[in-house]
């Protein structure tokens, strides 16, 4: 997509690179702002208008404004006026004086007095997942999608709670008398919401509707679903296409399906990817995908039998989910504690086909999380999840209370933040098993709404090879960005089975990760330059002196992305482990 503000994007990119070079945590702030700006196609008249984008707050807007003033001074261009600025008094007087002199004529009638201009009020945009944000989304959905012009307080709270992190019923810990419902006063004062006196019903005013629509459209342009019940950002089929065509992407009637089977052509992929695919099968140049039409399948939650150690707890989860109307199945999963599948509705045939949806959930009790961090299972598990090809990986942390962990709390915080920031996985925290069950219920209902009214596309089993699967998924996402290509449950199990032999690349990554300080990202960066252990050793041996060998990995992995950089001590350690005759621990 074309960015509507290339100059702002350029400056954000420069600040992002500077922060990365200085190992400054501000890199991630600028990266988020850069990604949001790059996806927004409409031009801003002033940097302060960029505050509507995710990841851009007052601080970045102020810095953009200062940079713009500097740019205008350097190029001799006028500085754009802030949207909330008044015309200056001197300009007003000068304008009146000029008009009176230019229009002095006995034949002309005097020009009528101009009305005094007032400052345009600064547009208030609620904070993401705040009480005001949730109320506006709920009222917008009620009016524009469900065709209900107003809502009672009870119905409004029930709907808005899905889009808010704070509770509408229970006051927060620090503010004993404040709930998310208090945000209604702000919306009434801003004239965004209209309230009937009796019986009390609430609806969006014209200005409130404009702001709410802008929030929804901005989210759609960024590929996100603002009406996600789970509170996470999810890619939704055909959302971007619908929004760019002027349609409401959240109306079911806009979801289109392709009745005629299509042929997926992979010839347009890069030479490297084509070679990789070709090594597996010459027939991969094109294939006919599996297509399931809407109404021919149902969404089913799959729960791993080993997910809960105690049988009584496992039965409790299963029984409670079924009591809440969730269609589920319990079986041994090769990867993940919970997945969701689309299952063909029963027909005369005895076999039931299943396609695995693009979501994997891993549930961890806090004690289990601590144990897995200590023994290394946590890193190994994240590595396997990264190889699954799933578009959305969710970590559900239960019994979340860092205060009880004592000194080990910092290690947990680090592990959790790296899971979110570096791996890009979604993290959900719950306090009890019942809250976890409620989250699974909301997720299942959300996936039913997302998938049951759309056609599903899947890669045939005979086209899937473990060594080329990720390249194939990446290639398909590039060529056909508005379709998610699923796999059958049989292929999912084969791809993620521990008993299946690992590729040389996977084995090499695991070997590198046994070195303290080598993360998945750093290991992946190393094998980009040295794809096999033999190649790594050959490159070490080709260098003339010891110092060059110690710095070889550092020089090869010196990109702008901080988490992939390798420092001198770690580079030396890698050399010592792989090539030195006598290795003395540098840890």
């Amino acid at each position: 997509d074309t960015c509507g503000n290339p100059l702002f994007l350029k400056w954000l990119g420069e600040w992002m690179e500077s922060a990365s070079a200085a190992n400054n945590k501000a890199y991630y702030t600028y990266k988020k702002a850069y990604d949001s700006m790059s996806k927004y196609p409409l031009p801003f008249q002033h940097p302060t208008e960029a505050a509507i984008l995710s990841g851009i707050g007052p601080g970045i807007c102020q810095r953009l404004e200062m940079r713009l003033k500097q740019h205008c001074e350097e190029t001799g261009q006028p500085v754009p006026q802030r949207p909330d600025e008044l015309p200056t008094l001197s300009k007003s007087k000068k304008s009146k004086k000029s008009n009176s002199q230019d229009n002095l004529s006995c034949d002309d009638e005097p020009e009528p007095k101009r009305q005094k201009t007032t400052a345009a009020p600064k547009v208030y945009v609620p904070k993401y997942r705040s009480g005001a944000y949730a109320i506006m989304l709920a009222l917008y959905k009620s009016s524009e999608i469900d065709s209900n012009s107003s809502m009672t307080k009870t119905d409004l709270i029930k709907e808005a709670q899905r889009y808010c992190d704070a509770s509408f019923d229970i006051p927060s810990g620090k503010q004993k008398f404040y709930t998310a419902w208090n945000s209604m006063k702000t919306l009434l004062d801003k004239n965004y919401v209209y309230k009937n006196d009796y019986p009390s019903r609430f609806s969006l005013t014209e200005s409130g509707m404009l702001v709410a629509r802008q929030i929804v459209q901005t989210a759609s342009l960024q590929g996100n679903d603002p009406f996600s019940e789970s509170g996470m950002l999810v890619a939704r089929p055909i959302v971007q296409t619908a929004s760019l065509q002027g349609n409401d992407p959240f109306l079911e009637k806009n979801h289109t399906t392709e009745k005629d089977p299509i042929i997926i052509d992979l010839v347009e992929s890069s030479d490297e990817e084509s070679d990789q695919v070709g090594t597996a099968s010459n027939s991969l140049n094109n294939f006919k995908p599996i297509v399931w039409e809407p109404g021919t399948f149902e969404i089913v939650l799959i729960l791993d039998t080993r997910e809960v150690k105690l049988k009584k707890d496992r039965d409790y989860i299963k029984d409670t989910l079924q009591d809440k109307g969730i269609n589920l199945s319990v079986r041994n999963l090769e990867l993940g504690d919970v997945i969701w599948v689309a299952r063909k509705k029963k027909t005369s045939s005895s076999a039931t086909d299943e396609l695995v949806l693009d979501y994997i959930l891993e549930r961890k009790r806090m004690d289990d999380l601590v144990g897995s961090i200590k023994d290394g299972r946590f890193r190994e598990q994240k590595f396997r999840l990264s190889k699954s090809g799933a578009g959305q990986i969710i970590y559900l942390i239960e019994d979340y209370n860092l205060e009880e962990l004592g000194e080990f709390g910092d290690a947990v915080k680090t592990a959790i933040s790296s899971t979110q920031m570096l791996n890009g996985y979604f993290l959900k925290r719950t306090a009890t098993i019942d809250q976890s069950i409620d989250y699974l219920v909301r997720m299942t209902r959300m996936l039913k709404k997302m998938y049951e009214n759309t056609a599903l596309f899947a890669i045939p089993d005979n086209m899937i090879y473990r060594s080329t699967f990720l390249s194939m998924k990446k290639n398909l996402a590039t060529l056909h960005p508005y379709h998610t290509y699923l796999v059958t449950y049989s292929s999912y199990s084969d791809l993620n089975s521990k008993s299946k032999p690992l590729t040389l690349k996977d084995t090499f990554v695991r070997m590198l990760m046994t070195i303290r300080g080598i993360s998945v990202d750093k290991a992946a960066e190393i094998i980009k330059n040295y794809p096999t252990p033999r190649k790594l050793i050959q490159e070490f041996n080709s260098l003339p002196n010891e110092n060059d060998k110690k710095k070889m990995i550092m020089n090869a992995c010196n990109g702008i992305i901080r988490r992939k950089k390798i420092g001198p001590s770690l580079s030396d350690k890698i050399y010592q482990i792989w090539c030195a005759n006598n290795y003395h621990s540098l840890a």
Side-chain angles (χ1 to χ4, degrees), residues 407-465:
E407 296 180 356
F408 203 74
D410 289 339
V412 173
K413 287 180 182 178
T414 301
I416 288 176
S417 62
S418 68
T419 300
Q420 292 177 288
M421 299 297 294
L422 304 184
N423 302 112
Y425 301 160
F426 179 76
L427 191 77
K428 176 65 179 178
R429 303 175 179 90
T430 61
T432 64
I433 190 173
D434 289 320
Q435 287 186 7
S436 300
I437 292 172
D438 289 340
Y439 179 74
L440 293 177
V441 171
R442 295 197 302 272
M443 274 292 302
T444 305
R445 290 173 179 169
M446 180 197 73
L447 293 175
K448 285 171 65 69
K449 290 179 183 178
M450 283 179 56
Y451 284 98
E452 286 191 341
N453 294 311
T454 65
L456 301 184
F457 296 81
I459 306 170
D461 289 344
N462 63 342
M463 295 290 108
I464 295 176
Y465 299 86

Side-chain angles (χ1 to χ4, degrees), residues 222-507:
Q222 294 175 344
N224 301 327
D225 184 353
F227 297 112
S228 165
E229 292 184 6
S230 64
M232 63 186 176
L233 303 180
V234 290
R236 185 162 180 169
I238 321 179
V239 164
Q240 292 176 327
T241 304
S243 63
L244 293 175
Q245 291 175 346
N247 300 325
D248 190 332
F250 306 107
L251 289 173
E252 292 181 358
K253 65 182 180 182
N254 285 323
H255 288 285
T256 58
T257 59
E258 298 188 30
K259 294 183 179 180
D260 298 328
I262 59 176
I263 300 297
I264 303 301
D265 187 5
L266 295 182
V267 177
E268 299 177 29
S269 62
S270 66
D271 294 338
E272 181 182 355
E273 288 175 338
S274 298
D275 292 342
Q276 290 176 336
V277 173
T279 60
S281 171
N282 292 329
S283 64
L284 278 182
N285 285 335
N286 57 72
F287 69 86
K288 184 176 179 180
I290 301 169
V291 182
W292 287 8
E293 296 296 337
T296 62
F297 57 87
E298 58 186 354
I299 304 302
V300 181
L301 181 151
I302 308 296
L303 181 67
D304 185 22
T305 55
R306 298 158 296 183
E307 196 274 333
V308 182
K309 295 180 180 178
L310 297 178
K311 185 177 184 300
K312 64 177 183 178
D313 288 345
R314 183 167 62 243
D315 292 341
Y316 177 73
I317 294 176
K318 175 177 175 290
D319 294 341
T320 306
L321 285 171
Q322 288 179 333
D323 290 342
K324 292 178 180 289
I326 300 301
N327 189 5
L328 64 86
S329 175
V330 180
R331 66 184 72 162
N332 288 332
L333 292 177
E334 294 292 345
L335 183 65
D337 294 322
V338 177
I339 63 172
W340 288 264
V341 301
R343 177 184 291 170
K344 273 285 190 181
K345 291 183 178 178
K346 292 184 178 180
T347 59
S348 56
S349 70
S350 57
T352 303
D353 295 325
E354 292 177 336
L355 299 180
V356 178
L357 303 186
D358 214 25
Y359 293 80
I360 300 177
L361 183 142
E362 187 71 31
R363 173 177 172 261
K364 292 281 188 190
R365 281 183 52 85
M366 184 56 75
D367 53 355
D368 183 35
L369 176 63
V370 171
S372 64
I373 293 173
K374 289 180 178 179
D375 61 21
R377 286 184 292 115
F378 187 63
R379 294 177 67 194
E380 191 270 342
Q381 189 177 65
K382 288 198 297 182
F383 172 75
R384 292 188 63 215
L385 286 168
S386 69
K387 296 295 183 181
S388 68
Q392 193 66 265
I393 297 171
I394 306 164
Y395 262 93
L396 177 63
I397 310 297
E398 190 178 293
D399 193 19
Y400 188 86
N401 188 348
L402 291 177
E403 295 179 359
E404 297 181 356
L405 296 178
E407 296 180 356
F408 203 74
D410 289 339
V412 173
K413 287 180 182 178
T414 301
I416 288 176
S417 62
S418 68
T419 300
Q420 292 177 288
M421 299 297 294
L422 304 184
N423 302 112
Y425 301 160
F426 179 76
L427 191 77
K428 176 65 179 178
R429 303 175 179 90
T430 61
T432 64
I433 190 173
D434 289 320
Q435 287 186 7
S436 300
I437 292 172
D438 289 340
Y439 179 74
L440 293 177
V441 171
R442 295 197 302 272
M443 274 292 302
T444 305
R445 290 173 179 169
M446 180 197 73
L447 293 175
K448 285 171 65 69
K449 290 179 183 178
M450 283 179 56
Y451 284 98
E452 286 191 341
N453 294 311
T454 65
L456 301 184
F457 296 81
I459 306 170
D461 289 344
N462 63 342
M463 295 290 108
I464 295 176
Y465 299 86
R466 193 169 190 172
S467 60
T468 60
F469 176 65
L470 293 181
S471 298
M472 187 184 214
K473 286 272 287 188
K474 182 179 179 180
N475 197 29
L476 286 171
T478 302
L479 296 176
H480 307 278
Y482 303 119
H483 290 308
T484 298
Y485 287 87
L486 310 175
V487 299
T488 65
Y489 181 78
S490 174
S491 289
Y492 174 83
S493 298
D494 288 342
L495 286 168
N496 298 294
S497 173
K498 284 186 176 181
S499 60
K500 292 286 182 178
L502 291 174
T503 64
L504 174 60
K505 181 179 177 181
D506 291 343
T507 304

Side-chain angles (χ1 to χ4, degrees), residues 64 66 93 113 121 137 199 259 380 415 571:
L64 283 172
M66 294 172 62
K93 286 182 177 180
K113 291 183 178 181
L137 274 191
K259 294 183 179 180
E380 191 270 342
S571 179

